[in-house]
Structure formats: C-alpha cells, structure tokens
Amino acid sequence: MPRPRAVVLTSGGLDSSTCLALARRDGFEIYALSFDYGQRHKLELDAASRQAKLAGAKKHVVARIDLRAFGGSALTDDIAVPKAEASAPVAPGIPVTYVPARNTIFLSYALAWAEVLGASDIFIGVNAVDYSGYPDCRPEFIKAFEHLANRATKAGVEGQMKLNVHTPLIELSKADIVKLGASLGVDFAATWSCYDPLPSGKPCGQCDSCRLRAKGFKEAGVTDPLS
Ligand code: ZN
C-alpha cells in the first residue's frame, strides 16, 4: 500500500515542525511547502529545510511569492517589530506582525499542490490558544477554507477527493506543543521562531514569537536549546 500523500506547511518554527512529525507518525508521505514571501530574514527558511529533511519529506518546495509588494505588516514592510520585556505577556488584539491574508494565500498554494499530487490532506500548524490573535489561525477560518477547497478544485467537484485541512495543534497550549514535539523527537535546536533576530543571528527574546516560545518551554519544563 502506498502511503497517502500530505502537503505540510513548513515554516521552520516549533508548531510546523511538530506538525511534520505528526504527519510522519500518522503514516503520510510528506510534501513540505515553505514560502519565501519577502519576510524579514531567511533563517526560518533554513530551519524549514532542516525540518523537512528530518521529517523525511519526499519533496520540499520553497515557493517564491512577494508579499512585500503590498507590505502592511512588520514582517513585510519597513515597520518595526514590537518588542517587550521577555517576561511580558503577549498583548491582546491583532498586532502589526499580522501579515494580511497570509494563511489564505499559503493554504491556496498548498491546495494547488495537493490537487496536482492527488493528495487529500493538508497539515497546517496553526494555534488559537497561545498565539498572536491572527484571524487566519482560528478554527472558523480553517473550516471555511476547507469548505472553499472542496468547491474550488476539479478533484473536489468531480468527487475524486474530499480535502481535509488538518490542524492538530489548534487547541493546544504552547507548553503542550513543546511536550508533544519532544515526545515525537522534534529537533528543537533546528527550529526557528524569532521575527527579528539580533545582528549576531540569535533570537531577540523580545518579539511576540520569542516570548510565546519561551513561555511554552518554561511551562513544559523543557530547556530550549536556542535560548
Ligand atoms: Zn524574537
């Protein structure tokens, strides 16, 4: 029996690396998809390549798209990434690091590749518990996208496949994700989370992403090899 194929969105962060490990554990043949979208730095793409390799991905594609053409986010424009004391909680509301429609765009690419591959499964490591309030990380968005996917594709309309968008981390805390990743053997040293690394190439420790990561490791009682 050939293994079913799955497209796994891979950013090199904790969440998508844990998703890769889950897809592997569940017996999927992995097609890892990352984006060079005009983000502030390429360290996350290096981490994405390492994680795709570690998960035994059959193929890893880095799609080039230019979200800098529009800007509008601290990750794709000349807008400073907000920083706070390492111990400060992440502020409520949707922060300026939100990239307009990013997950809709990423999932659309994943859908296109899945249709070409004949894959009916897409994994995305979104999380709606310890997150930055991004609207495109919430369950209602994922459900709506899945609905769209099954009406947008030849494979969906002709009934050859029902596309499933897997979000195995959506209701987990960051600490639970760290514990799950550790149990699946994720190499945390080869992940990357920081939005705005220091000139030395180390994580800043002060952006939302660094602080959420630190909180997760601390609460899980696991040492972060990057800290
Ligand atoms: Zn940071």
Side-chain angles (χ1 to χ4, degrees):
M1 269 285 277
R3 286 181 294 159
R5 295 171 163 181
V7 176
V8 183
L9 290 171
T10 305
S11 73
L14 266 186
D15 298 353
S16 72
S17 302
T18 302
C19 245
L20 277 168
L22 277 170
R24 179 184 204 180
R25 181 200 69 185
D26 293 347
F28 287 96
E29 183 175 64
I30 293 169
Y31 291 79
L33 178 58
S34 306
F35 295 90
D36 183 348
Y37 64 89
Q39 60 267 57
R40 298 179 78 92
H41 62 81
K42 302 285 184 256
L43 288 168
E44 64 182 53
L45 289 175
D46 298 339
S49 295
R50 289 198 297 270
Q51 290 299 333
K53 227 172 249 142
L54 287 167
K58 176 91 175 168
K59 198 168 177 192
H60 178 214
V61 164
V62 180
R64 273 212 187 98
I65 55 177
D66 183 15
L67 297 185
R68 242 171 216 277
F70 310 129
S73 163
L75 303 191
T76 55
D77 210 333
D78 298 327
I79 300 169
V81 171
K83 303 274 172 89
E85 281 299 307
S87 58
V90 171
I94 301 171
V96 71
T97 50
Y98 164 68
V99 179
R102 181 173 56 181
N103 282 347
T104 310
I105 295 164
F106 287 4
L107 279 171
S108 298
Y109 269 72
L111 174 60
W113 198 16
E115 189 168 21
V116 172
L117 291 167
S120 49
D121 297 276
I122 293 173
F123 282 75
I124 179 168
V126 289
N127 176 257
V129 180
D130 285 325
Y131 79 131
S132 288
Y134 300 155
D136 51 359
C137 289
R138 297 169 308 142
E140 51 266 57
F141 162 72
I142 298 296
K143 213 179 233 161
F145 188 88
E146 209 175 58
H147 185 80
L148 174 149
N150 284 300
R151 281 145 192 86
T153 52
K154 179 172 185 278
V157 169
E158 291 181 349
Q160 294 146 0
M161 66 178 202
K162 155 122 187 22
L163 193 105
N164 304 299
V165 180
H166 300 257
T167 56
L169 312 181
I170 201 158
E171 285 175 354
L172 300 186
S173 70
K174 210 62 157 178
D176 288 337
I177 294 169
V178 170
K179 285 184 207 159
L180 178 60
S183 76
L184 294 167
V186 171
D187 181 357
F188 294 129
T191 61
W192 187 266
S193 302
C194 181
Y195 290 146
D196 190 22
L198 301 171
S200 64
K202 291 220 155 50
C204 78
Q206 295 185 310
C207 69
D208 276 10
S209 188
C210 277
R211 279 151 52 225
L212 282 170
R213 178 180 172 119
K215 178 176 173 279
F217 273 98
K218 189 170 167 221
E219 288 174 8
V222 175
T223 305
D224 183 354
L226 292 189
S227 73

